Structures are given as C-alpha cells and as structure tokens.
C-alpha cells in the first residue's frame, strides 16, 4: 500500500460538495426548465419561439465552457462568489435547457385526444390542464427527470475545472499525492455508481409502470 | 470588447482556434464511430447473445453509464500506462469518449430493436432467412432508422463532451481557448466566442438531422420507441 | 401415397398446459385443408410448429418424406419450402412491395437481382398487385393490398405448401373478398395449402377437407358439407350455429 487508505476519508468528504453541487444545480434547473416549458407550450407564438431558442442555445453550450464562463465572467461584473456557487450557476444554466425539453415533451406527449376528452366533459382550459394534462405530464416526465439527475451528478465532476473540492477533484488531488490514479478513481467510481445505478433502476421501473398505465414516458 | 481587439485576436489566434475546432471535430467523429460500431455489436449481443455474453455486455453498459466520463477518461489516460498501454492524449480521449458513447448508443439501439415487433422476426424466418440474415436484412435496417433521432443527438452530445479532453491537454477547442485566454487575459471574450461556435454547430446539426430523419423515414410508418 | 405433409401425434406445451394434444393429419398434393375452431384452440400454434417457428414437444412432421422435426435439420431450409401468410400481414416495413417479395429470392434462393425481379413481378401480378404499387411501402398500402403482397412474397419462393393463419381477420369487410379470391385462384392452380380461417363460405367452396380443432385436439374432420352443415360433434354444432348467426342473413 502507498498510504492510500489514510486518504480515503479525504476523498469521501468530497461527496458532500458533489451532492450539494448537483442537487442545488439540478433543482434550480428544474424550476427554470418548468418555467421555460410552460412558456413554450402555453404562451403566444412569438414568446414561445423566443423561449424555445433560449433553451436551444443553453443546450448547445458544453458544461465545461459554461462553468469557465461563469467562473471568469462573474468577477468581471463585480460579483465575487465561492467556486461552488459558480459551479451551481453553470450547471443550472446548461441543465435548464435540457429540462425544458424534457417537460415540454411530457406536456405535449399527453396529446390532443386527452385534451378533447377533457373539453368534452365540460372542463375549462385551466381545468383540463390541472386535472388531465398536468397529472399525466408529470408522471411521464418522472423517469427522464430522475435520469437527468444522474447525468448532472456525473457531470458535476467537471467542476474540477474551477477547483471545486468535490469528489472527483479530491480523488485527483490524492492521486497526485500518492502517485497512483487507480485506487482513488476506483473509489470515486464506486461512489458515483452506487448513487446513479439505483436511481437508473428506479427510473426504469417507473417507466415500465407508467407504460403499463398507458402513459409513455419521455 | 472593441471591434479592434476582436480583429486583433482573430489575426493572432484565429488559426490556432480553427485548428482547435478541427481537433474537436476529429475527436468527435472518431469517438462516435467507435461508439456506433461497438454500440451495434453490443445491442445485438444483448438481444440475441448467449447468457454469458449478455451479462458481460450488460456489466460494461451499466458500469459505463453509472460513472462520469471524466473518471473514465482519467482511468484510460493515467492508469493504462501502468499496464504498459501508454496512449497519447488524443488517442486516450478518443478511446475514452468512444467507449462511453458505445454504452449509450447500444442502449438506444437496444430500445429500437425491441420496438421492432416480434412479427417482423417471424416473417423474416418464415421466408427461410437464417437468424443472422434476419437480423441483418430485417431487424437492423428498421431499428437503426428508429434510433436515428437518438443517435443523431448522441453525436451532438459528443461534440460538446469532447471538450473534456481539455483536462488531459488535448489541443481541441476548449484547450486552445484556455491557452489564448492565458496569453491575453481575455478569458470571457474567448469563451464567449467559442460558446457561439459550439451553439451554432449544435443547432445547425440538430436542423440537419431533422432533415435527414425526414428523408430516411419509411413512408407512412410510425414506430414508437422506448422499452 | 405421396403426401406433401404428414403431421403425426403432435404435442406442444406452454409451461404445463398442453396447447396441442396429439394432432395428426396429412395433406396431399394440391389439397386445400381448412382448419376451423374457436379462439385458443391451438390453430396458430399448429401452423407455427409446421413452419418450425416454434418447436413441438412431441410427435413428428414430415415434409416431402423428410422428417423436419428430427434433430439437426436446417430450419431455414425447411421454412424456405413452406410459405406463411400471417393475420397481420407482417410485411417488412422498411422494404417496398417489390423488395418484400425479392428479399427471400435473393438472400435465400441466391438469385441475382434480375432473375429475382422477374419472379417477383410474376408473383405480384398473379395476386393482382399492379405495377403502380410495386414501389410503395407497406404502410402506404391498404390492408387487402398488403395481404396480397404477403401472399406474393410467400408464393414467389415456389413453396411446396402455403400456410395461412386467419389471413382475412384483420381486414375491413370489403377487402376480404379480394384476398379470398386470390387464395381460391391459388388453390385452383394446384397450390397445396392449409388455411386457418373463420370464412365458412370460403371453406365450403375451396376446402377439400375441413378439420375442426378444439382445446388442442382435432374433434371432427370431413368434407365441408359434413363438418359445417351437418356436424356430428355437439361442440362443433354450437360453434357452427354461432357462425351462421354472424355470417348469414337469416
Ligand atoms: N408463446 C406462448 N406462450 C404461452 N402461451 C401461449 C403462447 N402462444 C399461445 N399460447 C396459448 O396457447 C393457446 C393456443 O393459442 P393459439 O394462438 O394457437 O390459438 P388459436 O387457435 O390460434 O386462437 P385464435 O383464434 O385466438 O388465434 C392459447 O391459450 C394461448 O394463450
Ligand atoms: Mg391464431
């Protein structure tokens, strides 16, 4: 052994930052994503088109680039934030584009026939949304939403680029000290995997369950 | 930023940035090809293979999808040399991203294979095709078409993810921008410019693929995907 | 006696439940055999066994004197000698009508494109699919047209025998006759065939023998007049009464 074991706790401490980073970024992206999706579906054409393009632009930016832009850009605007806050902002920006797409697909996927049926029993536009479209759309979005979180969690490792002391960064630092990348990388792989794999199984189960209910997940 | 400064930048570093873009394209294209080839093989193995092969492929796919691409990249670049497989940064990136993409592409293809109904398989056998022929002539041509949207998306993803090769000093677009930034201290400007480049290519590619999708769709047919 | 097909004592289980229970019959050269029976009787399973799409658990199937259920038999070769027409047509979605017919000729029979085209053309014309439809994809054709292309695909291989599994059940009423017409013509031209159908009129007109199956076994067989109009078995009589209600105006 090369003293790696003594460093295990140091690496594992990075889990907290990884979780804070990915959960905060992800949930903020959910808020923004929902907002954009609703705007795209329910507002007048011009606004809808503009929002769609905003989301497309956000989806086009690599996360690494977004992180660096925020990291170097905010100070230029006179805003000084801790690295982890920059990372959260970067993740939120990029992921909101993806989540907008997810939620929009879910809402549109419920489809005109359900809407027709809702109107046919006398529901108003809002009533149709609230009682027919929304319940189905949220269910349809659930598997993809869980999946999206695993993507964000894994990609939060890219925050290494701006020095956030999350899981991956810690692993690399330890690797440089103990002069061995294998053990630290395997250790963090196990951590990432043991969060992502169960989530992906839950997501897949939900997808199957929904399919059995006649709801096609996006 | 003033226009002069921009011209200056373009004059001094335009060539370098352009080369970086080419490396990004190269990296994306090669890793995508690796991913597609392995993806097809894995999806077939996981659908039609014997139990052992299925298990090995599944393990590969789940492990790959359950861990960050960045970890995989570092494993290949920093750990493989210890077993005598020292790769230059570009090759390491191509292989790491390619293997990662193989896992995802195999999943898209597997979903599309299972969306092709069993009756197509029966019909293929009923005219006397062998199982191999049935896969090649009937199942694959249809399932690849079904998977085209997902496979196209994957290419765009890879173009963006190719930026992580930056971490192992591959001179692709991100890395050369960082270099230019450190020379000029115009980080925000440079990064904004390449953000435009990434976004432009992503959106252009999305549109191009929509077009291709329309052209390659089977007239009159709608097959819905998802396992 | 040169029977084209001999099925003897065929058993098939799904899990513990027997779906075929000792089915035996033989089909002579040029014969049209119609199989009737209620849903779940095992008719589709029987046809799939004959085409080796599923493996029977017991019994034997002999095609042209060769036991095809024997171990080590090349299933693809056997299938190429038996046509199969499915209830839901099962045309290859990604191929045009013409390509659907040509695929087996090229890949199984090893013909070159030109020869395959000639055979496919004959075959398509014989089922009344005219040239303007050859380059259409299945999803662009009506159900009746699709089923006729499927028949063309089967007969283009010059099979010894064609199996039809409820070929008209998925069709709109007005389209049924065009498919039945093609099948009747095929039979008159001497094609050996086994037809699972509920079309009693077709059975009366075309069948050389009618076999009635229930719960995986043959319960009655005979000429169409005997089985359809004067069934001896109580179960068959009830079935026929219901069919008369559905299909006749009286
Ligand atoms: N792959 C299978 N696995 C389990 N059971 C099956 C399978 N295929 C058929 N069965 C069962 O075997 C029985 C016979 O089925 P089969 O499809 O042969 O009937 P059929 O006479 O063709 O009926 P139908 O008129 O509905 O087509 C049914 O009870 C069916 O549920
Ligand atoms: Mg049946």
């Amino acid at each position: 052994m090369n003293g790696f074991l003594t460093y295990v706790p140091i690496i594992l401490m990075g889990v907290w930052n990884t979780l804070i980073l990915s959960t905060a970024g992800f949930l903020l992206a959910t808020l923004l994503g929902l907002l954009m999706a609703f705007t795209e579906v329910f507002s007048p054409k011009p606004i809808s088109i503009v929002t769609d393009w905003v989301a497309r632009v956000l989806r086009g930016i690599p996360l690494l680039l977004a992180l660096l832009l925020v990291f170097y850009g905010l100070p230029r605007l006179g805003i000084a934030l801790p690295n982890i806050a920059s990372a959260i902002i970067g993740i939120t920006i990029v992921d909101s584009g993806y989540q907008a797409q997810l939620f929009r697909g879910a809402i549109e996927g419920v489809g005109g026939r359900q809407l027709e049926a809702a109107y046919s029993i006398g529901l108003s536009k809002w009533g149709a949304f609230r009682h027919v479209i929304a319940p189905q759309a949220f269910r349809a979005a659930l598997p993809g939403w869980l999946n999206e979180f695993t993507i964000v969690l894994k990609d939060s490792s890219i925050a290494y680029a701006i020095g956030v002391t999350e899981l991956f960064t810690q692993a690399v630092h330890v690797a440089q000290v103990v002069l061995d990348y294998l053990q630290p990388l395997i250790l963090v792989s196990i951590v990432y995997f043991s969060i992502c794999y169960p989530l992906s199984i839950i997501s897949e189960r939900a997808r199957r369950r929904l399919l059995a209910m006649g709801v096609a997940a996006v | 930023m003033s226009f002069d400064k921009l011209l200056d930048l373009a004059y001094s570093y335009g060539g370098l940035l352009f080369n970086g873009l080419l490396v990004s394209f190269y990296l994306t294209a090669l890793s995508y090809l690796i991913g597609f080839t392995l993806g097809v093989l894995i999806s077939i193995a996981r659908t039609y293979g014997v139990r052992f092969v299925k298990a090995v492929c599944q393990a590969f796919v789940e492990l790959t999808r359950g861990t960050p691409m960045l970890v995989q990249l570092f494993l290949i670049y920093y750990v493989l040399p210890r077993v005598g497989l020292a790769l230059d940064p570009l090759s390491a990136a191509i292989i790491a991203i390619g293997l990662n993409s193989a896992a995802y592409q195999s999943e898209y293809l597997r979903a599309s294979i299972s969306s092709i109904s069993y009756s197509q398989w029966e019909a293929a056998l009923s005219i006397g095709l062998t199982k191999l022929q049935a896969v090649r002539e009937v199942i694959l041509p249809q399932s690849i078409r079904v998977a085209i949207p997902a496979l196209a998306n994957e290419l765009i993803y890879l173009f963006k993810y190719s930026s992580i090769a930056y971490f192992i000093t591959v001179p692709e677009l991100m890395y050369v921008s960082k270099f230019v930034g450190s020379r000029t201290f115009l980080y925000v400007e440079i990064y904004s410019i390449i953000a435009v480049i990434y976004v432009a290519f992503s959106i252009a590619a999305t549109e191009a693929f929509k077009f291709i999708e329309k052209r390659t769709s089977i007239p009159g047919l709608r097959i819905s995907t998802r396992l | 006696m040169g029977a084209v097909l001999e099925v003897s004592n065929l058993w098939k289980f799904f899990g513990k439940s027997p779906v075929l229970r000792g089915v035996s019959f033989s089909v002579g050269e040029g014969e049209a055999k119609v199989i009737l029976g209620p849903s779940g009787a095992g008719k589709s399973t029987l046809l799939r066994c004959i085409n080796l799409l599923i493996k029977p658990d017991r019994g034997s199937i002999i095609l042209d004197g060769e036991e095809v259920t024997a171990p080590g038999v090349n299933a693809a070769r056997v299938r190429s000698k038996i046509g199969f027409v499915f209830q839901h047509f099962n045309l290859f979605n990604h191929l045009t009508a013409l390509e659907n017919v040509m695929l087996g000729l090229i890949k199984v029979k090893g013909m070159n494109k030109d020869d395959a085209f000639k055979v496919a053309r004959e075959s398509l014309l014989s089922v009344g699919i005219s040239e303007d439809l050859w380059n259409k994809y299945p999803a662009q054709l009506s159900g009746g047209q699709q089923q006729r292309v499927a028949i063309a695909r089967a007969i283009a291989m010059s099979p010894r025998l064609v199996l039809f599994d409820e070929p008209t059940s998925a069709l709109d009423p007005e389209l049924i006759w065009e498919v039945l017409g093609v099948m009747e013509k095929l039979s008159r031209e001497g094609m050996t065939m086994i037809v699972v159908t509920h079309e009693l009129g077709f059975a009366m007109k075309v069948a050389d023998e009618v076999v009635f199956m229930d719960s995986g076994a043959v319960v009655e067989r005979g000429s169409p007049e005997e089985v359809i109009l004067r069934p001896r078995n109580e179960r068959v009589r009830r079935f026929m009464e219901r069919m008369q209600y559905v299909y006749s105006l009286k």
Side-chain angles (χ1 to χ4, degrees):
Chain A
M1 281 315 249
N2 43 14
F4 169 69
L5 283 182
T6 53
Y7 292 100
V8 167
I10 297 184
I11 295 179
L12 291 182
M13 285 303 286
V15 172
W16 295 117
N17 274 344
T18 289
L19 285 178
I20 291 169
L21 185 62
S22 42
T23 319
F26 178 71
L27 290 179
L28 287 173
T30 299
L31 279 182
L32 274 182
L34 277 173
L35 199 66
M36 285 196 273
F38 284 141
T39 315
E40 280 173 39
V41 178
F42 295 110
S43 49
K45 199 95 192 226
I47 302 179
S48 164
I49 290 175
V50 170
T51 316
D52 179 41
W53 274 91
V54 170
R56 295 179 75 173
V57 167
L58 295 182
R59 287 199 295 272
I61 304 173
L63 179 60
L64 173 58
L65 182 54
L67 293 180
L68 291 172
L69 261 174
V70 173
F71 182 73
Y72 288 107
L74 285 185
R76 283 274 285 270
L77 301 173
I79 304 170
L81 286 178
N83 293 356
I84 190 167
S86 302
I88 290 172
I89 295 172
I91 288 176
T92 304
I93 290 173
V94 170
D95 197 46
S96 61
Y98 287 108
Q99 293 203 42
Q101 189 179 36
L102 174 77
F103 291 122
R104 178 186 172 161
I107 296 169
E108 289 178 345
V110 178
R113 281 197 204 156
Q114 290 287 312
L115 204 59
E116 256 178 19
Y119 290 151
S120 80
I121 59 165
L123 286 171
S124 65
K125 204 172 169 181
W126 167 245
F129 176 75
R130 191 167 137 31
H131 299 294
V132 179
I133 307 293
Q136 295 187 58
F138 279 116
R139 288 195 178 98
L142 184 70
W145 187 70
L146 288 175
N147 209 34
E148 191 64 31
F149 177 70
T150 67
I151 294 174
V152 169
L153 182 89
K154 287 177 286 174
D155 284 356
S156 70
S157 57
I158 296 177
Y160 165 60
I162 59 173
V164 179
T165 54
E166 45 70 61
L167 198 53
F168 182 71
T169 311
Q170 296 299 77
V172 173
H173 289 167
V174 168
Q176 285 160 354
V177 174
V178 301
L179 299 177
D180 169 35
Y181 275 89
L182 183 61
Q183 291 169 322
L185 288 178
I186 295 293
L187 178 64
V188 297
S189 293
I190 292 171
V191 177
Y192 283 113
F193 188 80
S194 53
I195 304 173
C196 290
Y197 187 61
L199 278 176
S200 74
I201 286 181
I202 294 173
S203 161
E204 199 47 45
R205 287 233 176 104
R207 198 185 291 284
R208 295 244 165 88
R209 274 275 266 297
L210 288 168
L211 211 56
M213 285 169 55
V215 178
V218 283
Chain B
M1 180 169 54
S2 72
F3 190 64
D4 281 356
K5 241 161 126 192
L6 192 69
L7 269 185
D8 232 28
L9 212 59
Y11 181 75
S12 326
Y13 297 107
L16 195 62
L17 288 171
F18 184 70
N19 274 335
L21 182 63
L22 291 186
V23 173
S24 288
F25 281 151
Y26 180 73
L27 172 54
T28 307
L30 280 195
S31 44
Y32 188 81
L33 276 183
I34 292 176
F36 180 74
T37 312
L38 288 178
V40 169
L41 294 177
I42 293 172
S43 63
I44 292 174
R46 283 193 71 184
T47 312
Y48 305 106
V50 296
R51 193 175 300 167
F52 174 73
V53 174
K54 272 185 184 167
V56 170
C57 290
Q58 184 182 0
F60 168 77
V61 170
E62 299 297 1
L63 286 174
T64 306
R65 296 200 314 156
T67 52
M69 193 193 267
L70 200 47
V71 172
Q72 293 153 18
L73 179 68
F74 273 46
L75 274 172
I76 284 176
Y77 185 62
Y78 289 110
V79 179
L80 280 192
R82 290 212 337 210
V83 293
L85 246 176
L87 295 166
D88 62 284
L90 183 58
S91 312
I94 289 170
I95 291 172
I97 298 175
L99 287 177
N100 180 282
S101 184
Y104 286 92
Q105 296 202 50
S106 76
E107 285 293 273
Y108 306 142
L109 284 164
R110 203 164 65 94
S112 68
I113 288 176
S114 70
S115 76
I116 307 300
S117 65
Y118 185 72
S119 58
Q120 290 284 311
W121 173 252
E122 272 194 331
L125 294 186
S126 82
I127 60 166
L129 294 178
T130 62
K131 288 180 181 175
L132 193 67
Q133 285 176 320
V135 171
R136 203 177 55 208
E137 305 292 337
V138 176
I139 304 298
L140 269 192
Q142 294 187 58
S143 51
I144 287 181
R145 276 195 188 81
V146 173
I148 280 180
L151 294 178
N153 244 334
E154 176 70 11
L155 183 60
I156 299 168
Y157 276 129
L158 281 200
F159 178 53
K160 286 176 282 183
Y161 272 113
S162 71
S163 62
I164 69 164
Y166 156 99
F167 288 104
I168 59 169
T169 71
V170 176
E172 47 68 63
L173 195 49
M174 276 310 296
Y175 186 76
V176 295
S177 326
K178 168 96 175 177
F179 172 77
V180 176
S182 66
R183 279 293 187 80
T184 59
F185 293 103
L186 297 172
Y187 284 105
V188 179
E189 289 78 358
I190 292 291
Y191 287 147
S192 305
I193 291 169
I194 65 165
V196 172
I197 296 177
Y198 275 110
V199 169
F201 275 107
S202 298
I203 291 178
T206 311
E207 292 305 314
F209 285 131
K210 264 189 213 157
F211 179 73
I212 292 175
E213 209 180 304
K214 265 195 208 125
R215 292 295 297 271
T216 56
S217 71
I218 301 165
L221 186 73
R222 288 256 356 107
I223 302 175
S224 60
T225 9
R226 256 348 286 185
L227 292 163
Chain C
M1 245 281 296
V4 175
L5 182 82
E6 257 174 286
V7 174
S8 27
N9 195 28
L10 208 64
W11 286 75
K12 176 70 195 174
F13 293 83
F14 283 120
K16 277 217 164 67
S17 57
V19 175
L20 294 179
R21 300 184 299 166
V23 175
S24 306
F25 62 85
S26 75
V27 185
E29 184 81 51
E31 186 185 341
K33 193 173 296 288
V34 167
I35 299 179
L36 299 175
S39 182
K43 309 179 298 289
S44 300
T45 306
L46 175 63
L47 293 193
R48 282 183 163 72
C49 281
I50 294 172
N51 207 24
L52 304 184
L53 288 171
I54 50 182
K55 204 174 148 352
D57 295 312
R58 234 186 289 158
S60 70
I61 298 170
I62 294 170
L63 178 71
D64 272 338
E66 181 195 2
E67 183 178 349
V68 298
T69 40
V73 169
N74 179 345
R77 185 177 53 78
V78 174
R79 292 189 196 112
S80 73
K81 292 200 276 183
I82 303 177
F84 202 115
V85 176
F86 299 88
Q87 180 174 355
H88 296 284
F89 332 135
N90 300 12
L91 290 179
F92 303 126
N93 295 312
H94 64 305
L95 301 179
T96 62
L98 183 64
E99 290 165 343
N100 258 280
V101 182
M102 285 171 62
L103 183 70
L105 296 172
I106 294 172
K107 299 292 169 185
V108 178
K109 297 222 146 174
M111 289 186 186
N112 63 35
K113 278 216 160 119
D114 289 342
D115 292 344
F117 174 74
K118 282 181 199 138
V119 175
R121 183 181 57 194
E122 288 309 307
S123 186
L124 282 165
L125 289 176
S126 80
V127 298
I129 297 291
S130 54
E131 198 165 346
D132 51 319
L133 298 175
W134 292 356
N135 292 321
K136 295 246 188 271
Y137 286 87
Q140 297 173 306
L141 298 173
S142 76
Q145 290 165 344
Q146 287 187 58
Q147 194 61 300
R148 283 183 289 143
V149 173
I151 295 174
R153 177 175 72 181
I155 61 177
M157 302 290 292
S158 355
R160 291 290 289 129
L161 167 73
V162 183
L163 312 173
F164 293 83
D165 191 2
E166 301 197 32
T168 58
S169 297
L171 295 177
D172 286 343
E174 321 168 72
L175 301 180
I176 291 178
W177 71 270
E178 66 182 51
V179 170
L180 291 180
V182 165
M183 290 165 61
E184 187 184 337
K185 172 164 156 269
L186 208 57
S187 175
R188 263 191 280 113
E189 289 165 0
M191 179 63 80
T192 311
M193 51 209 237
I194 302 177
V195 183
V196 170
T197 186
H198 294 303
E199 300 300 335
L200 297 185
F202 174 84
M204 288 295 294
K205 211 161 153 194
V206 180
D208 295 303
E209 187 186 47
V210 171
V211 171
F212 191 96
M213 282 180 68
D214 189 21
S215 314
V218 174
V219 294
E220 186 159 346
R221 65 175 52 172
S223 71
E225 288 79 11
E226 285 168 353
V227 178
I228 296 172
L229 301 179
R230 296 184 300 277
R232 294 179 301 262
N233 181 296
E234 178 53 30
R235 177 77 187 85
V236 182
R237 186 159 32 235
R238 254 187 299 137
F239 180 87
M240 291 307 163
E241 275 164 13
R242 289 176 191 165
M243 295 305 269
Q244 305 273 341
Y245 172 81
V246 175
Y247 284 100
S248 67
L249 297 171
K250 283 182 282 189

